[in-house]
């Protein structure tokens, strides 16, 4: 049973437009959600997080939205840039447990 | 500041061989993790540790062992390698609370092929 799902394996957008990456989870015990970005041949790097007491968190061009009732979160990138082309992983964890559960990732391609 | 260092970067093993993947962090993080990533898939937790002398199984621990004798080091041991262990292995670390707000710091990975 996959507890964190990213249903879109890939997404292609034009430079300057908005990228929206989606993530669904099933475990209602998760109380923190994070997004990581991964370039080929590198480890994932932390991008942005949100706790379950919030519904939105912004950091520059990146905004994460959380809909607890739907068990859904999304990452918005505005405006998208070619350097944003990477694999994006959604992760969820219980704050007291420390270990994260990851989705399968979405490959974002931003075309110039 | 090196962060999380993994060695080797690449390795080819024959079926039945054993090896140790090394992981060292210099950030004084208490928590350390081992994940594997199969092609087209997400990261699956193998083992994790919340401090020196303490380890626990993750989602896919079979065929692996770990030890945590120091805060800095968290080696992953593969005994009797099998083709199903062909994967990219990532080590990560975090402070106890920072994993929620600042995420993990990952190493660059070890690409292992078992033939």
């Amino acid at each position: 049973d996959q507890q964190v799902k990213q249903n879109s394996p890939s997404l292609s957008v034009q430079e300057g437009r908005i990228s929206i990456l989606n993530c669904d989870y099933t475990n209602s015990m998760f109380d923190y959600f994070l997004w990581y970005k991964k370039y080929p041949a590198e480890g994932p790097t932390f991008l942005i997080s949100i706790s379950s007491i919030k519904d939105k968190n912004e950091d520059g061009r990146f905004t994460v939205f959380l809909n607890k009732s739907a068990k859904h979160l999304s990452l918005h990138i505005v405006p998208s840039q070619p350097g944003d082309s990477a694999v994006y992983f959604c992760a969820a964890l219980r704050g007291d447990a420390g270990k994260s559960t990851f989705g399968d990732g979405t490959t974002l391609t931003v075309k110039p | 500041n090196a962060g999380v260092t993994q060695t080797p970067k690449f390795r080819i093993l024959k079926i039945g061989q054993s090896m140790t993947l090394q992981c060292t962090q210099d950030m004084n993080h208490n928590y350390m993790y081992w994940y594997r990533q199969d092609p087209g898939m997400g990261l699956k937790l193998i083992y994790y540790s919340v401090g020196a002398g303490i380890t626990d199984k993750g989602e896919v621990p079979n065929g692996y062992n770990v030890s945590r004798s120091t805060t800095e080091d968290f080696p992953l041991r593969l005994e009797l390698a099998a083709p199903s262990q062909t994967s990219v292995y990532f080590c990560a670390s975090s402070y106890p609370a920072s994993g929620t707000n600042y995420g993990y710091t990952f190493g660059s990975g070890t690409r292992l092929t078992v033939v």
Side-chain angles (χ1 to χ4, degrees), chain B residues 45-109:
Chain B
L45 182 64
I46 305 171
Y47 271 95
Y48 66 105
S49 168
V50 300
I54 306 169
T55 62
D56 208 347
K57 294 178 180 179
E59 188 180 358
V60 289
N62 292 343
Y64 307 94
N65 276 300
V66 293
S67 60
R68 184 95 183 271
S69 57
T70 66
T71 299
E72 295 78 19
D73 300 308
F74 190 40
L76 177 71
R77 178 81 177 163
L78 278 72
E79 303 283 0
L80 298 175
S84 61
Q85 293 178 305
T86 294
S87 190
V88 181
Y89 292 83
F90 290 102
C91 178
S93 70
S94 72
Y95 286 118
S98 70
T100 57
N101 290 320
Y102 304 109
Y104 299 166
T105 300
F106 280 88
S108 59

Side-chain angles (χ1 to χ4, degrees), chain A residues 36 43 46 49 98-100 103-104, chain B residues 33 35 37 42 101-104 107:
Chain A
Y36 289 84
F46 170 73
S49 67
K99 48 182 180 172
S100 294
D104 287 344
Chain B
Y33 314 83
Y35 283 87
Q37 185 190 13
N101 290 320
Y102 304 109
Y104 299 166

